[in-house]
Amino acid sequence: STTLRLLDEDATFEARAVAFEATVRSGLDSIRMRYPGVIADVRGKGFLLGIELDKPFDQKQATDEMWNESFR
């Protein structure tokens, strides 16, 4: 398909995916260290990343805490 051909020919696409993955994984690792027991695992590659949550938690409280930590 045209989309796959363009992606294959665009060398910057892979570089952007690698940079994105490094940035997001770094941020998720930071969250994992600050809030143990929230993120169990990060899986995927490039633009396709997903997280596995460790256990149910109070989403509003966790979101508020992370927001406050980010903008101190």
Side-chain angles (χ1 to χ4, degrees), residues 36-52:
V38 174
I39 298 176
D41 195 17
V42 179
R43 290 190 285 270
K45 185 170 174 131
F47 291 117
L48 299 174
L49 292 176
I51 62 171
E52 177 185 348

Side-chain angles (χ1 to χ4, degrees), residues 5-18:
R5 182 179 53 77
L6 289 172
L7 291 175
D8 191 40
E9 293 172 358
D10 183 4
T12 61
F13 181 80
E14 184 176 351
R16 288 191 312 254
V18 169

Side-chain angles (χ1 to χ4, degrees), residues 10-60:
D10 183 4
T12 61
F13 181 80
E14 184 176 351
R16 288 191 312 254
V18 169
F20 173 84
E21 179 181 352
T23 301
V24 172
R25 279 189 187 271
S26 173
L28 291 173
D29 285 340
S30 177
I31 292 170
R32 185 179 4 206
M33 291 187 319
R34 280 188 279 170
Y35 304 98
V38 174
I39 298 176
D41 195 17
V42 179
R43 290 190 285 270
K45 185 170 174 131
F47 291 117
L48 299 174
L49 292 176
I51 62 171
E52 177 185 348
L53 299 178
D54 192 34
K55 59 185 173 190
F57 63 97
D58 182 343
Q59 181 179 358
K60 171 131 178 53

